[in-house]
Amino acid sequence: MKAIKRFSPSCIARLQREIQEAQGNEVFALGFLDTKGLVSTLEVSARGQEQRVLAVDPRLEAADVFIHNHPSGLLTPSDADLAIASRAAQAGVGCFIVDNPVEQVYVVTEPIKKRPVKKLHAPDILAALEEGGAIAKRLPAYENRRSQLELMQLIIRGFNDDALVAAEAGTGVGKSFAYLLPALSYALANDERIVISTATITLQQQLYEKDIPLVISALGNREKKLKVVLIKGRGHYLCRRRLKEALQEQGLLDEGECQDLRAIHDWSKTTRTGSRSDLSFMPQEGLWSRICAEADCCMGMHCPEREGCFVLALRKESADARILVVNHHLLFADLAARHEGAGYKHTVVLPPYSRVIVDEAHTVEGAATSFFSQEFSRLGISRHLGRLYRRSRGGSPLGLLPGLASLGAAEERLEALEAALRLIRDSAEALDLAALELCQTEGVFRLTPSKAPLIQELLLPHLRALGQHLCAFTAGIQELLDRLEPQDEDTALAWEVRALMRRLDAIGAICTAFMEFRERSATEVLWLEGHFKTGSGAARGSWAAFIVSPIAVAPSLKEALFVPNKTVICLSATLTVADSFAYWNSRCGLSLVEDRKVLTGQFPSPFPYASSVLLAIPQDAPLPEPDHERYRAFVDKAAVELVQCAGGSSLVLFTSYEALRSAYTAAVPVLAQQGIRCLKQGDDDRNRLLRTFLKDEQSVLFATDSFWEGVDAPGDTLRLVILCRLPFRAPNEPVFQARCEALQKQGANPFMELSLPESVMKFKQGFGRLMRRSSDHGVVVVLDGRVLWKRYGQYFLRSLPETKTSFADFTGILRQVERFLGRQRL
């Protein structure tokens, strides 16, 4: 058969180039059909011998056709070809063989014809958000936003054209409705599942409880009801089996834990979801970890509480849902498992899908880095060991191992296991002390080949000892498991023990990774993070974390997220630097994608920044630079005087806890006399702290890091934001440092390609805390003069919307802030 009957001309040309570049050898590719049934898009999967690619690319199930060439020109399928075709057919994928010139094609198995896709009709969908439209009528404070309608048009193109989309939508654009209307309309029209992923559970719940029901009601009566399910990670749900076991062990808990456990037991009788967020209180983390539905503790089909399992009920519920609302961590867990071989046609962590919306996409690199990182600490080891074996105050053996030994009639083994456990505790303690010593100067310590002598002397002996003791201990536990009778092998006790064994084995694997730091340093960052306590008992309260993180996540995101899915739409209020997507695209893998339609767009905020916001930057000569010893005293004094001008209603953002504590300590005695309440990050749970701040207009919140984003304080609650320092990453932060070095090796400029754009994006997030509604007004003060006198400062200023500005000495700025806020209050 002529190839032109099965391939588009552009696809034939691409395949010819790939075969030529492979010097006429075999090329294996995944093909994707267009609406005419022609292979119009290719992704090269492998090059080489047939037998080498029989372990076909895990993306196979996402394709329509598996294609390879026969260099001999004879297209009759071999036994290996038939094996490949059979594997492909099981996944619903066709198999083609072509000659090297790509003139002829042999169809081994036909691809399954696609159902006709119903494209979205933009005018109908846009009408819902125009004045008098179905959604507009349902919003009490509707505003016609041109940027929102333009964003929706881009998203509609993303669905209709099977495209990858990156969109920056400024505060107030209304991006949730801009993507929900097309997504829900497409799901209804084509009976397809769409995953919506957010960075936080708070946004998950807002979408599920508020925004999505409103959009569904606006879509009107449909023959098919659109099913929507909110899914969190398993650790957010209660396990009934583990709860029962904990209730039987109440004598091992303190009084506070017992009270929480009894309250959870009462709640478990009435809760429909089993989700921790539905509790009226926040249980202690140690207690919740003992009763939550963690994957490695799940007994699956063997669980006696399977009928009442919350996770299983949720899985059944989501099986026929067309909209799944998840968080980034859960999405990455599913994508990673599929990319590693689980496939794309069946349920893994989530049911199968091919279209994804990623909200708050500016967090994707950080979320992916966190997901693919591994860590352990002395505290974690101690918790695992305590669950397995400990002694009561009276000396009686407690924990899971005595019960396991009793089941296997192997009580005599307990003494040896207890001795092995003590060796683990001792070696973990020694390792922790060595790590804290290495972290003493900077708080962190990165393992690099240049530090090999120090690492070999202080760290490796303890790592080796811990790894060996863990191995011996788990081997001893395995001996107990091996002695169980068949009827006891699937008891809850045995499952819990195996789960803890796997966790200890994982810690042993991290120890091995640290010992191989030289070989791994090209692709991974192996580092220590010290957590130091002050005051009495500080030495015992301090501990170190041992962390392994990937240097680059872009290739993984490209292969797992962008390549296999038909549509991926990424949105955030901050994706560009100086009007360019280049930085975000490169960090998240979108720039690595070839032969796919990529759409981008910027949609500015409709808020009146030009009249309602004053951007003030002091120009005192000489204003101390941030690294100067006088700078902290300047910030401490300036923050107090600015907050006094605003009468509270202020958010002061820092880049370090040390600077935060200094400014807070200086502010409290002065501001308290004026009735201004001072709040500090770390003094309470984040959500409770924010609620307190929102309720009190005469308050000021001193915060750092995570509070640069996710703070939504409209109205007079927040009229002044102080950005104390440009949010550049600390140069000694291990992952950041390793990424800078990787860029240098590629001949790039780490400052311009990583440090600066990352800082600009966080700066934009901090600036964006001020104006959350079109009626808001206030001042943003930047106490870092580098934004004016350094050449790179223009990148920060160009990334902000147009505002009123005041670049004067600090005394002049105080007057203008007072005048501006006073005028706005009239």
Side-chain angles (χ1 to χ4, degrees):
M1 182 187 299
K2 296 287 187 184
I4 196 68
K5 292 185 177 182
R6 293 293 185 144
F7 297 86
S8 68
S10 62
C11 194
I12 289 175
R14 165 81 191 281
L15 198 48
Q16 287 170 337
R17 287 197 306 273
E18 294 291 347
I19 293 171
Q20 288 172 1
E21 289 176 9
Q23 298 179 341
N25 292 311
E26 284 181 297
V27 172
F28 300 82
L30 305 178
F32 299 85
L33 302 180
D34 60 19
T35 54
K36 297 176 183 178
L38 296 178
V39 179
S40 60
T41 307
L42 280 180
E43 292 171 16
V44 173
S45 174
R47 299 172 180 84
Q49 300 297 320
E50 281 174 320
Q51 283 73 12
R52 265 178 48 203
V53 294
L54 267 174
V56 182
D57 191 306
R59 295 169 296 173
L60 170 68
E61 292 181 357
D64 297 310
V65 189
F66 188 62
I67 305 157
H68 73 285
N69 61 306
H70 274 191
S72 67
L74 299 174
L75 304 189
T76 303
S78 65
D79 289 343
D81 293 329
L82 294 174
I84 291 175
S86 175
R87 163 79 184 274
Q90 290 174 13
V93 177
C95 186
F96 293 176
I97 302 172
V98 298
D99 57 4
N100 276 16
V102 199
E103 294 173 349
Q104 300 291 322
V105 58
Y106 185 101
V107 177
V108 184
T109 52
E110 289 281 0
I112 295 176
K113 289 186 177 179
K114 290 184 172 181
R115 287 184 307 170
V117 173
K118 296 179 182 177
K119 303 239 174 170
L120 297 176
H121 187 239
D124 291 346
I125 298 174
L126 293 169
L129 273 173
E130 292 174 340
E131 193 165 353
I135 285 188
K137 288 189 295 187
R138 287 169 168 78
L139 294 174
Y142 169 77
E143 296 176 22
N144 188 293
R145 301 170 182 176
R146 181 181 173 186
S147 53
Q148 184 182 48
L149 297 175
E150 291 174 345
L151 171 60
M152 195 185 304
Q153 286 179 313
L154 181 72
I155 291 169
I156 290 170
R157 285 182 61 199
F159 279 106
N160 285 344
D161 298 348
D162 289 350
L164 308 176
V165 178
E168 181 177 76
T171 305
V173 166
K175 60 180 168 63
S176 295
F177 288 128
Y179 67 69
L180 286 175
L181 260 170
L184 272 59
S185 298
Y186 195 92
L188 277 168
N190 294 286
D191 196 29
E192 279 198 41
R193 183 178 290 110
I194 297 171
V195 172
I196 300 173
S197 180
T198 76
T200 63
I201 290 175
T202 301
L203 182 53
Q204 266 187 280
Q205 295 187 174
Q206 178 187 317
L207 290 172
Y208 180 74
E209 297 168 3
K210 181 181 175 185
D211 296 346
I212 291 177
L214 192 152
V215 172
I216 289 176
S217 68
L219 291 173
N221 293 323
R222 301 278 181 137
E223 291 182 8
K224 295 179 293 184
K225 186 179 179 182
L226 187 68
K227 189 172 182 180
V228 181
V229 174
L230 181 149
I231 308 177
K232 304 169 190 174
R234 293 184 59 120
H236 289 274
Y237 298 96
L238 177 70
C239 173
R240 292 188 186 276
R241 174 185 65 78
R242 301 186 81 201
L243 173 63
K244 280 190 174 181
E245 291 167 6
L247 287 166
Q248 294 168 4
E249 298 177 352
Q250 286 188 69
L252 309 180
L253 305 176
D254 62 38
E255 184 54 36
E257 287 178 321
C258 286
Q259 288 179 359
D260 283 357
L261 188 64
R262 288 191 289 269
I264 292 170
H265 179 233
D266 292 340
W267 166 77
S268 72
K269 300 172 185 176
T270 58
T271 177
R272 188 178 65 84
T273 65
S275 173
R276 178 169 57 171
S277 62
D278 293 347
L279 276 167
S280 60
F281 64 97
M282 185 62 67
Q284 297 178 46
E285 191 61 40
L287 173 64
W288 183 258
S289 69
R290 291 186 62 175
I291 59 175
C292 67
E294 292 175 309
D296 62 354
C297 292
C298 180
M299 294 180 66
M301 296 290 292
H302 303 282
C303 182
E305 298 294 327
R306 187 170 182 271
E307 292 301 315
C309 176
F310 294 114
V311 172
L312 190 59
L314 182 65
R315 180 166 289 187
K316 290 178 181 176
E317 189 76 5
S318 62
D320 60 344
R322 287 297 168 260
I323 301 293
L324 303 179
V325 184
V326 307
N327 56 54
H328 294 344
H329 192 275
L330 196 64
L331 175 65
F332 291 146
D334 185 78
L335 291 172
R338 294 183 187 280
H339 180 61
E340 289 166 6
Y344 292 86
K345 298 290 186 183
H346 308 287
T347 295
V348 183
V349 179
L350 303 173
Y353 53 89
S354 62
R355 302 187 192 272
V356 184
I357 293 172
V358 182
D359 201 347
E360 299 175 299
H362 65 281
T363 65
V364 163
E365 183 186 24
T369 301
S370 174
F371 174 78
F372 289 110
S373 294
Q374 301 170 286
E375 68 174 275
F376 77 86
S377 69
R378 170 179 58 83
L379 300 184
I381 292 174
S382 181
R383 280 195 299 271
H384 297 331
L385 296 181
R387 283 283 291 134
L388 287 165
Y389 188 90
R390 62 195 180 283
R391 287 191 176 273
S392 68
R393 291 176 183 174
S396 301
L398 302 173
L400 298 171
L401 291 185
L404 186 69
S406 177
L407 275 180
E411 288 89 344
E412 76 281 356
R413 294 292 303 147
L414 283 179
E415 187 175 337
L417 284 171
E418 184 177 15
L421 186 145
R422 282 196 298 270
L423 289 174
I424 294 174
R425 289 190 187 278
D426 291 345
S427 57
E429 185 82 31
L431 176 62
D432 196 53
L433 290 172
L436 287 171
E437 183 179 343
L438 291 172
C439 294
Q440 195 71 48
T441 304
E442 297 182 332
V444 293
F445 181 85
R446 177 179 163 215
L447 281 71
T448 61
S450 63
K451 302 172 186 172
L454 182 64
I455 295 166
Q456 287 174 326
E457 179 186 353
L458 293 182
L459 214 57
L460 292 195
H462 301 301
L463 280 165
R464 188 176 295 108
L466 177 59
Q468 290 171 346
H469 295 323
L470 284 169
C471 185
F473 183 60
T474 55
I477 297 175
Q478 187 60 52
E479 288 180 16
L480 291 185
L481 290 167
D482 291 341
R483 295 179 65 167
L484 293 179
E485 296 294 332
Q487 68 269 19
D488 295 325
E489 289 178 355
D490 289 324
T491 59
L493 175 63
W495 278 81
E496 288 282 332
V497 169
R498 289 192 193 97
L500 288 165
M501 277 180 63
R502 286 191 290 271
R503 295 179 192 181
L504 293 176
D505 285 340
I507 291 171
I510 298 173
C511 289
T512 299
F514 266 81
M515 293 170 66
E516 297 169 348
F517 71 94
R518 293 182 190 83
E519 297 86 346
R520 292 173 175 261
S521 61
T523 57
E524 293 176 319
V525 192
L526 296 103
W527 55 292
L528 314 173
E529 182 177 39
H531 297 261
F532 294 95
K533 301 291 183 182
T534 56
S536 61
R540 183 64 189 167
S542 299
W543 54 279
F546 294 72
I547 309 168
V548 183
S549 300
I551 292 178
V553 296
S556 298
L557 287 171
K558 173 213 165 188
E559 296 295 337
L561 175 61
F562 294 117
V563 168
N565 289 297
K566 295 175 182 176
T567 298
V568 182
I569 295 167
C570 300
L571 308 101
S572 172
T574 53
L575 287 187
T576 67
V577 175
D579 298 325
S580 171
F581 285 91
Y583 167 73
W584 185 85
N585 286 352
S586 67
R587 302 308 305 173
C588 294
L590 190 55
S591 62
L592 302 175
V593 178
E594 298 176 346
D595 299 319
R596 289 288 303 274
K597 181 178 283 189
V598 177
L599 307 174
T600 61
Q602 287 180 274
F603 304 91
S605 170
F607 291 168
Y609 285 93
S611 59
S612 298
V613 175
L614 172 68
L615 175 65
I617 306 172
Q619 280 188 310
D620 296 63
L623 185 71
E625 288 205 30
D627 292 329
H628 195 282
E629 59 183 13
R630 290 192 297 113
Y631 175 73
R632 180 166 297 175
F634 163 72
V635 168
D636 292 354
K637 182 173 181 292
V640 170
E641 294 180 11
L642 286 165
V643 173
Q644 285 176 313
C645 283
S649 306
S650 305
L651 175 64
V652 191
L653 293 173
F654 300 84
T655 59
S656 76
Y657 285 99
E658 191 177 352
L660 181 157
R661 285 191 291 266
S662 175
Y664 176 83
T665 302
V668 169
V670 179
L671 297 180
Q673 291 182 349
Q674 299 179 32
I676 298 173
R677 184 179 184 181
C678 293
L679 304 170
K680 175 167 64 72
Q681 179 182 350
D683 285 350
D684 201 349
D685 168 75
R686 175 191 164 92
N687 290 331
R688 282 195 295 268
L689 193 64
L690 282 175
R691 285 197 294 271
T692 302
F693 176 61
L694 291 172
K695 289 177 183 175
D696 189 351
E697 290 184 7
Q698 284 191 297
S699 66
V700 53
L701 175 58
F702 294 79
T704 184
D705 197 28
S706 63
F707 283 77
W708 283 72
E709 56 184 272
V711 176
D712 191 8
D716 285 343
T717 299
L718 181 58
R719 298 187 303 123
L720 172 66
V721 173
I722 304 173
L723 307 180
C724 296
R725 184 170 180 157
L726 296 180
F728 285 109
R729 191 88 65 135
N732 69 328
E733 187 173 307
V735 176
F736 174 75
Q737 190 179 70
R739 288 173 174 168
C740 285
E741 291 170 5
L743 286 169
Q744 276 182 319
K745 289 177 182 176
Q746 297 166 17
N749 183 330
F751 180 76
M752 296 303 295
E753 295 197 26
L754 180 58
S755 181
L756 178 61
E758 182 184 67
S759 179
V760 169
M761 286 181 70
K762 190 160 188 176
F763 180 81
K764 289 168 67 177
Q765 284 286 335
F767 176 90
R769 295 313 94 212
L770 178 69
M771 200 161 187
R772 310 304 297 174
R773 306 287 185 274
S774 60
S775 58
D776 288 353
H777 61 274
V779 180
V780 177
V781 180
V782 181
L783 296 178
D784 190 334
R786 292 177 296 177
V787 76
L788 293 180
W789 69 63
K790 291 285 188 180
R791 185 179 299 176
Y792 60 73
Q794 289 304 307
Y795 284 90
F796 291 90
L797 297 178
R798 283 171 52 196
S799 293
L800 299 179
E802 182 181 348
T803 65
K804 292 182 177 297
T805 57
S806 174
F807 304 151
D809 61 41
F810 186 70
T811 302
I813 279 179
L814 286 174
R815 286 196 297 268
Q816 291 201 45
V817 168
E818 193 168 31
R819 192 181 308 123
F820 187 82
L821 292 179
R823 177 178 63 79
Q824 292 286 355
R825 277 185 285 182
L826 295 177

